[in-house]
Amino acid sequence: MFGIDYDAAEWNARIRERMVPDLVITTGFVLLLLAALNAWTQQATLKRLSKKLAYDEALYRNVFSQAPIGIAIVNDKNFVFQSDSPSMSMNPMFEQILGRKADQLVSIPWPEISHPDDLSADLALFDQFRNGAIDGYSLEKRFLR
């Protein structure tokens, strides 16, 4: 009869040593799988937000271009031309009210075409807006054509 006696502590230690590479590989695989799942969910979220943004932009463009009032975006005292901003900067009604096209208005500061009687009130409100005293303002004013 032949017998071999192994110490149980040594036996368990060797098993643990041999399990380490397997655990590292398994953990790495699980982490890689979780990262892929996270990337997939973020892509789905970005796709959903992109569709919502495209809808909102189309709505904004339609409302902006079809508004029955004149709307213009300004940078300080100059009109913003469309090439400066990816969005529209003047709606067609604003061009119609002034009797000029956007490319003509880009070289004219808005105070120069404001009616002199309305200019002081507009500049006072504009300075308050620029200094952060007010969030915005609405003013019915006259322009020179």
Side-chain angles (χ1 to χ4, degrees), residues 23-145:
L23 289 174
V24 169
I25 291 171
T26 303
T27 304
F29 181 73
V30 168
L31 289 175
L32 186 63
L33 192 62
L34 289 174
L37 181 64
N38 185 30
W40 180 72
T41 57
Q42 284 183 350
Q43 181 184 11
T45 301
L46 287 175
K47 189 180 280 189
R48 181 180 49 82
L49 290 174
S50 178
K51 284 181 182 179
K52 184 181 181 321
L53 181 63
Y55 174 79
D56 289 347
E57 183 180 359
L59 179 64
Y60 165 77
R61 285 183 178 275
N62 284 330
V63 168
F64 187 83
S65 65
Q66 296 175 15
I69 61 172
I71 302 171
I73 298 172
V74 296
N75 181 7
D76 196 25
K77 293 187 178 168
N78 296 314
F79 293 106
V80 175
F81 190 58
Q82 197 164 6
S83 64
D84 295 339
S85 173
S87 61
M88 298 172 63
S89 58
M90 288 179 205
N91 69 346
M93 184 57 73
F94 188 77
E95 292 176 341
Q96 183 180 345
I97 290 169
L98 292 181
R100 301 175 190 188
K101 293 292 181 190
D103 57 347
Q104 296 169 327
L105 291 169
V106 74
S107 61
I108 305 170
W110 61 263
E112 287 184 17
I113 59 173
S114 295
H115 193 281
D117 295 342
D118 300 336
L119 185 58
S120 61
D122 193 4
L123 287 174
L125 287 169
F126 184 73
D127 286 338
Q128 289 177 9
F129 173 71
R130 188 174 39 191
N131 295 333
I134 56 176
D135 292 334
Y137 68 95
S138 177
L139 178 69
E140 191 170 318
K141 65 181 247 179
R142 296 169 286 182
F143 283 99
L144 303 175
R145 284 185 72 136

